[in-house]
Amino acid sequence: MSSVRSTHRHRTLLITFLLALLLTQSVGHSALANDSAPLKNEPVADSDSIVLLVASSPRAAYQTEVTIEDKSLKRALEASLSADPYTEPILPDTMLRYNTKNQTVRLGVTPTGDVIDLAARQIIKLPSKVQETLQSHVQTLRSKHYGELLTWEEASLVLPKFSSFSILDVESGLSFEGQRRAGSHHADVQPLTKVDSATLKSIYGGQWSWDRRAVLVKLNGRTLAASMHGMPHGGDGIPGNDFNGHFCIHFLGSVTHGSRSVDPAHQVMVHRAAGLLLDYVSKLSPWALIDVWISAAHQGDLQLLQVTTGQEQAMHVRSMRRLSKFTEQDVSQLLQLDTAVDVTMTAARASAVSSRRVLFHLERASVQDRWYIRSAVIQ
């Protein structure tokens, strides 16, 4: 097992080296490193209050928090010891904060109630009853923060044609109003007003974009997990809204109009909006995992790159899209896989689009474990 882990580390280093000529270093790398570093303690008044906060990523402006009073939980946290290592590729989306000895302690919490020492990346052992209570608090908070994971058929009934609803971007926290105008395989939506169009454009940094983003669709007291892009296209039905066409919102299992196929980038964003990103990616086949990697590279999404490789990534290209179809094979008994994928891409400091081939090497520790991309060589 130690030799396998050593091989994993060497392969992880290889990916950064091999992509160095085409991928640029991103300021997000230091941000990711700082997210997992211990936070500086500051003098504060002690109390029995414990604050839970959830966000889809460390930099997400949209956050939901709750304050609970639980002396038993606080005593258990103060008396606890670190136990097993925390081995997931990204830190939990839920944070726990409390004051003790005039200092603030910050810890991570998983959906199952495991408490994580962020600096040491170790699981803190708690009594089972205390952990069950904490798990209940965390699940309640996450259910308020994230959306329901509904199939397109179910979502289409909740959002009938010409219904209006709120759309909230889970990273920026910006929200605007839209209306479903059409769409039989996903929702074709238009912003209601000029202000709503301006908000949508600001979510994408001031320009229209095909990039997929995780969003929450809110209507009649329900919140649905979804994914949108921000590019006006097709028919226009709301005059005077400064939006020439419609944009698309996808739900679980929805397909595109043209290819009648599920869009991998939309589906990963739908699961992010449901708070199920890590669970979803960990169950993907090698080829589906490669699709997530390509989408992450295309959008410069460092969190998605980290989920696919198991390591912090600090690289991106200006664009990358898959060209070739996958020829999938039975990998049920394999621990390693090498495969080639044809892509179109634009290098970080270039403007021209070129056709390239990427050689992927994937590994997993056992047939029960998930796959990781350990190297990606662009030829």
Short mmCIF file of all heavy atoms in Angstrom, two decimals, residues 22 60 78 88 97 106 151 154 181 189 194 204 236 243 245 248 306 312 328 339 348 367 373:
data_model
loop_
_atom_site.label_atom_id
_atom_site.label_comp_id
_atom_site.label_asym_id
_atom_site.label_seq_id
_atom_site.Cartn_x
_atom_site.Cartn_y
_atom_site.Cartn_z
N LEU A 22 1.79 24.81 -21.04
CA LEU A 22 0.51 25.22 -21.59
C LEU A 22 -0.45 25.80 -20.56
O LEU A 22 -1.40 26.46 -20.91
CB LEU A 22 -0.17 24.04 -22.30
CG LEU A 22 0.55 23.55 -23.55
CD1 LEU A 22 -0.10 22.28 -24.07
CD2 LEU A 22 0.54 24.61 -24.63
N ALA A 60 -16.95 31.09 -1.71
CA ALA A 60 -18.33 31.41 -2.06
C ALA A 60 -18.88 32.52 -1.17
O ALA A 60 -18.76 32.47 0.06
CB ALA A 60 -19.20 30.16 -1.93
N GLU A 78 -13.89 20.40 23.34
CA GLU A 78 -12.73 20.84 24.11
C GLU A 78 -11.92 19.66 24.65
O GLU A 78 -10.70 19.78 24.84
CB GLU A 78 -13.18 21.74 25.26
CG GLU A 78 -13.74 23.08 24.79
CD GLU A 78 -14.32 23.90 25.94
OE1 GLU A 78 -14.77 23.29 26.94
OE2 GLU A 78 -14.33 25.13 25.82
N GLU A 88 -10.24 12.91 2.22
CA GLU A 88 -10.98 13.41 1.06
C GLU A 88 -10.19 14.53 0.36
O GLU A 88 -9.43 15.26 1.00
CB GLU A 88 -12.35 13.94 1.49
CG GLU A 88 -13.28 12.89 2.06
CD GLU A 88 -13.70 11.86 1.04
OE1 GLU A 88 -13.44 12.07 -0.17
OE2 GLU A 88 -14.28 10.83 1.42
N ARG A 97 -17.53 26.87 14.47
CA ARG A 97 -16.73 27.88 15.17
C ARG A 97 -17.26 28.07 16.60
O ARG A 97 -18.47 28.15 16.82
CB ARG A 97 -16.83 29.21 14.42
CG ARG A 97 -15.98 30.33 15.03
CD ARG A 97 -16.05 31.59 14.17
NE ARG A 97 -17.33 32.29 14.30
CZ ARG A 97 -18.21 32.44 13.32
NH1 ARG A 97 -17.98 31.90 12.14
NH2 ARG A 97 -19.34 33.10 13.52
N ARG A 106 -11.79 27.06 14.96
CA ARG A 106 -12.52 26.79 13.72
C ARG A 106 -12.20 25.38 13.25
O ARG A 106 -11.03 25.00 13.13
CB ARG A 106 -12.17 27.81 12.65
CG ARG A 106 -12.65 29.23 12.95
CD ARG A 106 -12.13 30.20 11.91
NE ARG A 106 -12.70 31.52 12.06
CZ ARG A 106 -12.21 32.46 12.88
NH1 ARG A 106 -11.13 32.19 13.60
NH2 ARG A 106 -12.79 33.64 12.97
N THR A 151 -35.32 15.30 -10.78
CA THR A 151 -35.14 15.00 -12.20
C THR A 151 -35.80 16.09 -13.03
O THR A 151 -36.65 16.84 -12.54
CB THR A 151 -35.76 13.64 -12.56
OG1 THR A 151 -37.19 13.72 -12.39
CG2 THR A 151 -35.19 12.53 -11.69
N GLU A 154 -39.55 15.93 -12.98
CA GLU A 154 -40.15 16.46 -11.75
C GLU A 154 -40.03 17.98 -11.70
O GLU A 154 -40.99 18.68 -11.33
CB GLU A 154 -39.44 15.85 -10.53
CG GLU A 154 -39.66 14.35 -10.39
CD GLU A 154 -38.75 13.74 -9.33
OE1 GLU A 154 -37.57 14.12 -9.26
OE2 GLU A 154 -39.23 12.86 -8.58
N ARG A 181 -39.78 30.22 -20.57
CA ARG A 181 -40.54 30.54 -21.76
C ARG A 181 -40.85 29.30 -22.59
O ARG A 181 -41.89 29.25 -23.28
CB ARG A 181 -39.76 31.54 -22.62
CG ARG A 181 -39.40 32.82 -21.90
CD ARG A 181 -40.61 33.66 -21.62
NE ARG A 181 -41.31 34.06 -22.83
CZ ARG A 181 -42.37 34.85 -22.85
NH1 ARG A 181 -42.89 35.30 -21.72
NH2 ARG A 181 -42.95 35.17 -24.00
N VAL A 189 -35.09 29.91 -20.42
CA VAL A 189 -35.45 30.95 -19.45
C VAL A 189 -34.96 32.31 -19.93
O VAL A 189 -33.92 32.40 -20.60
CB VAL A 189 -34.84 30.63 -18.06
CG1 VAL A 189 -35.22 31.70 -17.03
CG2 VAL A 189 -35.30 29.25 -17.60
N LYS A 194 -34.59 44.51 -17.29
CA LYS A 194 -33.23 44.96 -17.58
C LYS A 194 -32.32 44.74 -16.37
O LYS A 194 -31.15 44.37 -16.52
CB LYS A 194 -33.24 46.44 -17.96
CG LYS A 194 -33.91 46.75 -19.28
CD LYS A 194 -33.83 48.26 -19.55
CE LYS A 194 -34.46 48.60 -20.90
NZ LYS A 194 -34.39 50.06 -21.19
N TYR A 204 -21.31 36.61 -14.50
CA TYR A 204 -20.27 36.12 -15.40
C TYR A 204 -19.19 37.17 -15.65
O TYR A 204 -18.51 37.13 -16.68
CB TYR A 204 -20.90 35.69 -16.73
CG TYR A 204 -21.64 34.37 -16.63
CD1 TYR A 204 -23.00 34.33 -16.37
CD2 TYR A 204 -20.95 33.18 -16.76
CE1 TYR A 204 -23.67 33.12 -16.27
CE2 TYR A 204 -21.61 31.96 -16.66
CZ TYR A 204 -22.97 31.94 -16.42
OH TYR A 204 -23.63 30.73 -16.31
N ASP A 236 -36.63 35.21 -28.61
CA ASP A 236 -36.77 36.28 -27.62
C ASP A 236 -38.26 36.53 -27.38
O ASP A 236 -39.03 36.70 -28.33
CB ASP A 236 -36.09 37.54 -28.13
CG ASP A 236 -36.12 38.67 -27.12
OD1 ASP A 236 -36.38 38.38 -25.93
OD2 ASP A 236 -35.88 39.82 -27.50
N PHE A 243 -32.07 41.42 -23.18
CA PHE A 243 -31.56 40.06 -23.32
C PHE A 243 -32.11 39.49 -24.62
O PHE A 243 -33.30 39.16 -24.71
CB PHE A 243 -31.99 39.20 -22.12
CG PHE A 243 -31.19 37.93 -21.96
CD1 PHE A 243 -29.99 37.93 -21.27
CD2 PHE A 243 -31.64 36.73 -22.48
CE1 PHE A 243 -29.24 36.77 -21.12
CE2 PHE A 243 -30.92 35.56 -22.33
CZ PHE A 243 -29.71 35.58 -21.64
N GLY A 245 -32.73 36.85 -26.59
CA GLY A 245 -32.83 35.40 -26.64
C GLY A 245 -33.17 34.82 -25.28
O GLY A 245 -33.78 35.49 -24.45
N CYS A 248 -30.28 28.73 -20.80
CA CYS A 248 -30.79 27.41 -20.42
C CYS A 248 -30.50 27.08 -18.97
O CYS A 248 -29.43 27.39 -18.45
CB CYS A 248 -30.18 26.33 -21.31
SG CYS A 248 -30.54 26.55 -23.06
N GLN A 306 -9.38 19.90 -8.26
CA GLN A 306 -8.91 19.24 -7.05
C GLN A 306 -9.71 17.97 -6.77
O GLN A 306 -9.16 16.95 -6.34
CB GLN A 306 -9.01 20.19 -5.86
CG GLN A 306 -8.38 19.65 -4.58
CD GLN A 306 -8.40 20.68 -3.47
OE1 GLN A 306 -8.78 21.83 -3.67
NE2 GLN A 306 -8.00 20.28 -2.28
N GLU A 312 -4.50 19.77 -4.67
CA GLU A 312 -4.72 21.16 -5.03
C GLU A 312 -4.08 21.44 -6.38
O GLU A 312 -2.94 21.03 -6.63
CB GLU A 312 -4.13 22.09 -3.96
CG GLU A 312 -4.89 22.06 -2.65
CD GLU A 312 -4.30 23.02 -1.62
OE1 GLU A 312 -3.30 23.69 -1.95
OE2 GLU A 312 -4.82 23.07 -0.49
N GLU A 328 -15.51 3.28 -24.24
CA GLU A 328 -15.42 2.79 -22.87
C GLU A 328 -15.18 1.28 -22.85
O GLU A 328 -15.55 0.57 -23.78
CB GLU A 328 -16.68 3.14 -22.08
CG GLU A 328 -16.91 4.64 -21.96
CD GLU A 328 -17.91 4.99 -20.88
OE1 GLU A 328 -18.14 4.15 -19.98
OE2 GLU A 328 -18.47 6.10 -20.92
N THR A 339 -5.74 6.31 -21.20
CA THR A 339 -6.62 6.56 -22.33
C THR A 339 -6.29 7.91 -22.94
O THR A 339 -5.79 8.81 -22.26
CB THR A 339 -8.10 6.50 -21.91
OG1 THR A 339 -8.94 6.57 -23.06
CG2 THR A 339 -8.45 7.65 -20.98
N ALA A 348 -3.01 29.19 -22.27
CA ALA A 348 -3.28 30.30 -21.38
C ALA A 348 -2.84 31.64 -21.95
O ALA A 348 -3.53 32.64 -21.79
CB ALA A 348 -2.59 30.07 -20.04
N VAL A 367 -10.56 -1.93 -6.07
CA VAL A 367 -11.72 -1.93 -6.95
C VAL A 367 -12.94 -1.33 -6.27
O VAL A 367 -13.93 -1.00 -6.94
CB VAL A 367 -12.04 -3.36 -7.45
CG1 VAL A 367 -10.92 -3.87 -8.35
CG2 VAL A 367 -12.29 -4.31 -6.28
N ILE A 373 -7.56 11.11 -11.41
CA ILE A 373 -6.68 11.41 -12.54
C ILE A 373 -5.31 11.75 -11.96
O ILE A 373 -5.16 12.75 -11.25
CB ILE A 373 -7.23 12.56 -13.38
CG1 ILE A 373 -8.56 12.15 -14.01
CG2 ILE A 373 -6.23 13.01 -14.43
CD1 ILE A 373 -9.29 13.31 -14.69
#
